[in-house]
Each structure stands twice: as C-alpha cells, then as structure tokens.
Amino acid sequence: MRLLVVDFDYFFPVPQDPQDPLAFLYSWAHFETPYYLGEVWEERALAFLLRGLPLPQARGWEGFWERFAFAPEARLYYADSNALAFHSDVHQGVREVMLFDAHHDAGYRPLGVEPACDDWMVYYARQGARLRVFYPSWRDPSLEPVPAVPVERVKDPGGPVEGVFHRVFLCRSGAWVPPWADEAFFAFLEAASLPKVALEAVARRPFDLVGLLRRSEEEALGLRIMERLRGLF
C-alpha cells in the first residue's frame, strides 16, 4: 500500500535566503488556530500592498497529478491540516509514504498525545512504513532540522514518478498558505481525477482584496500627509 501525500505549501514559494530584502515579509508565525488560518492574513497582505508589491501566489501546481499512476480503487482524502494524513481512513495498511512538501513533518519537537501537522510522519515510521520526502525546487532542505525518524529527503527532480499509488492525501495548510491562494487550491483539488473524501470541512476563506487595496491606499495617503507635515516643522 503506497500513500501519496501532497501539502499545498509545496506550491507556495517563500524566500530561503535570510538576506533577501523581502524575506522579512514572510517571517510568519504558523499555528493551526482560527486566527492564523484567517484573520492574520489581512495584515500580512497589507504588508505587501503598502509597499506596492503584488501578493505572492501559489504556482507550479498545474499538471502535477499527471506525474502519477493510481490504482483503480484509489481515493483522494483531503483536509486543511496535514495532521490528518495519519487519519484512520488513510494510514491503514500503508507501507510507503511519498510526501511532496516544503517540510519533512517528521518531528521538530517532543511528540504530543496525537499526531500533529509537524510530526505525523513519525507515526508512519512506527508502523514500519518507508518514508520519502520530495522538496520543491525553491526549498533549501538544509534549513530543516534533522528528522526524528529515518526519512529519505531529496529535491523533486520533476517528471513521472515511479510506481502505482493506492491512496492520496492532500492538505491545504491554511496556516502556511494564504486565503488569496484558495482558488488555486480548489482548482488543484478538482484537477485530480480521483474520488474525493473530505476528512474535515475545507471551505474558501473570506478575503476582501478590493477592500484591502482601498485600505492600503488610505494608509499610504495618511503616511504621505504625515511626511509632509514633518517637513513643515
């Protein structure tokens, strides 16, 4: 039983060089709470818009599913959190996990009581599964801590992937991927020609880009007025 796991943050590039002049705009805390899944993204979007920068987008997901062969009975399970990659409907009988992700999810801290988004691969290791991680081309694997369990880690070479997969799990990772990328996520989900099972509610998050653009213009005007006033004194 081979399981393919895809985290949508694989398709959301962020700067890897801390000296990158835009790196500070991506210095985001990541917690799977309602605030970090939704509200926080407005302020993060404003940080770009106030500087006249376009919002970063998901890219490279088109045609991804065509790289894989699936068994006739294969299903795609999906959720927001990657913790559900070890859901009881997903992990039964799995002997190999192939993960496409910007993170290895194989343990960064002491384990909790249940699988979390950053350590669910450890639980697959405990059931004897072979673990493989393919990082996106933009990701620097050296920035990741050493996994808590043996994991084969390489950059994705692209092209067709060997073998047949019997099960698929896809997560949105809404604490890492912003709501303005939700349309791309759902298009990616629909592009997979497999029966789909939602393991938790995954809906499009409210995001008022027009309102934020208006707000950024008002903020920018206020800053210009303040600068002019400073020049008078």
Side-chain angles (χ1 to χ4, degrees), residues 77-185:
Y77 297 85
Y78 67 97
D80 192 87
S81 174
N82 223 359
L84 293 181
F86 200 74
H87 188 279
S88 58
D89 290 347
V90 179
H91 74 71
Q92 295 295 331
V94 170
R95 305 305 298 169
E96 180 181 353
V97 179
M98 186 175 291
L99 170 64
F100 287 76
D101 197 336
H103 312 91
H104 61 61
D105 290 358
Y108 302 89
R109 55 188 172 81
L111 293 182
V113 177
E114 297 180 345
C117 62
D118 58 358
D119 63 19
W120 58 271
M121 287 273 270
V122 175
Y123 292 81
Y124 275 105
R126 288 179 173 179
Q127 75 176 36
R130 177 190 181 190
L131 307 179
R132 304 172 69 186
V133 175
F134 287 87
Y135 290 105
S137 60
W138 56 265
R139 180 63 161 147
D140 181 356
S142 69
L143 299 178
E144 286 247 271
V146 175
V149 293
V151 183
E152 178 185 342
R153 298 188 294 156
V154 298
K155 280 200 175 186
D156 184 2
V161 177
E162 63 183 20
V164 174
F165 291 88
H166 307 87
R167 206 167 288 158
V168 181
F169 176 81
L170 168 65
C171 74
R172 178 173 61 180
S173 283
W176 281 259
V177 180
W180 61 82
D182 278 0
E183 288 301 321
F185 170 77

Side-chain angles (χ1 to χ4, degrees), residues 28-43:
W28 299 331
H30 304 105
F31 303 99
E32 292 189 326
T33 65
Y35 173 74
Y36 284 98
L37 289 169
E39 184 180 348
V40 72
W41 289 110
E42 290 190 4
E43 299 304 318

Side-chain angles (χ1 to χ4, degrees), residues 35-87:
Y35 173 74
Y36 284 98
L37 289 169
E39 184 180 348
V40 72
W41 289 110
E42 290 190 4
E43 299 304 318
R44 292 172 176 175
L46 276 174
F48 286 88
L49 298 177
L50 284 170
R51 292 169 173 81
L53 299 172
L55 296 181
Q57 301 292 332
R59 63 172 188 254
W61 55 268
E62 299 90 342
F64 180 82
W65 299 117
E66 297 169 10
R67 300 174 57 188
F68 305 91
F70 301 106
E73 72 280 6
R75 289 188 174 189
L76 185 155
Y77 297 85
Y78 67 97
D80 192 87
S81 174
N82 223 359
L84 293 181
F86 200 74
H87 188 279

